[in-house]
């Protein structure tokens, strides 16, 4: 799996300027995951985002004045879960200092959280309050964790896997031979994830898109494992 990831990453950094190995390809896949999971919760949990916190802040404002499609508690819960996930990444960083090793461990943890969310959907009625709370917490926490560790990777134009506003701004306002491919790819990845999530949700409900996200995270973790620095016994 590393060879295609290397090839794709090199294509995003033309003229041999890629210094990140296959990492950029993994971050693009994480953007697909972000779009996918936001499609699931937006369509299935009454317009709640678990990745795009900008949307939750805006919708929370709508709900204060009684906009019937938005529930203030749900948007605030998503914000809190995302913040808790990002905070926990900082605590993990104190124990696992190497960012790529941390990416692997947190992606595995994220996959476990998505698996738990899938179990909630399969075993309960997700439209009831308790399962809705569980889904928002599990998915929001995972996205906060993942977003925080990606920020530390500092890969140009791929430092934020949950929003594309700044990427679109740079894409159209800052012409760059070396950057337009990454920026266009990031926007496309988010769109593709949302498209996949919406399509699967319309066909089967929440279970199939959650399963697809789980498979995607397992794939990312599998490739990320090979990015970790090797430790040799003395």
């Amino acid at each position: 799996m590393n060879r295609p990831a290397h090839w794709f990453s090199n294509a995003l950094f033309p003229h041999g300027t890629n210094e990140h190995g296959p990492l950029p390809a993994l971050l693009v896949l994480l953007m697909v995951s972000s779009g996918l999971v936001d499609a699931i919760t937006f369509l299935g949990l009454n317009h709640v985002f678990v990745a795009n916190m900008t949307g939750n802040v805006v919708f929370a404002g709508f709900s204060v004045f009684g906009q019937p499609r938005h529930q203030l508690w749900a948007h605030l819960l998503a914000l809190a879960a995302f913040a808790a996930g990002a905070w926990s990444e900082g605590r993990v960083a104190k124990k696992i200092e190497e960012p790529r090793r941390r990416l692997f461990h947190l992606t595995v943890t994220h996959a476990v959280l998505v698996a738990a969310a899938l179990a909630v959907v399969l075993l309960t009625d997700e439209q009831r309050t308790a399962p809705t709370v569980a889904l928002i917490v599990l998915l929001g926490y995972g996205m906060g964790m993942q977003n925080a560790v990606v920020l530390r990777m500092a890969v140009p134009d791929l430092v934020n896997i949950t929003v594309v506003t700044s990427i679109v701004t740079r894409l159209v306002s800052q012409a760059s031979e070396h950057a337009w491919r990454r920026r266009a790819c990031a926007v496309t990845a988010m769109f593709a994830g949302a498209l996949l999530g919406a399509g699967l949700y319309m066909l089967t409900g929440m279970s199939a898109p959650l399963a697809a996200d789980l498979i995607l995270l397992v794939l990312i973790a599998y490739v990320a494992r090979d990015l970790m620095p090797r430790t040799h016994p003395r």
Side-chain angles (χ1 to χ4, degrees), residues 169-180 183:
T169 303
R170 291 195 299 270
L171 177 63
V172 298
S173 67
Q174 302 174 3
S176 173
E177 178 185 358
H178 296 281
W180 75 267
R183 295 167 184 171

Side-chain angles (χ1 to χ4, degrees), residues 26 29-34 36-37 103-104 106-115 139 142-143 146 161 210-224:
L26 299 189
L29 289 178
L30 284 173
M31 295 193 79
V32 174
S33 173
S34 296
L36 199 160
V37 76
L103 174 66
F104 166 74
L106 292 182
T107 302
V108 170
T109 304
H110 192 181
V112 171
L113 293 172
V114 171
L139 297 175
M143 288 308 310
Q146 202 80 72
I161 59 168
L210 279 173
D213 190 42
L214 176 58
I215 293 170
L216 185 59
L217 289 172
V218 169
L219 174 63
I220 293 168
Y222 177 79
V223 179

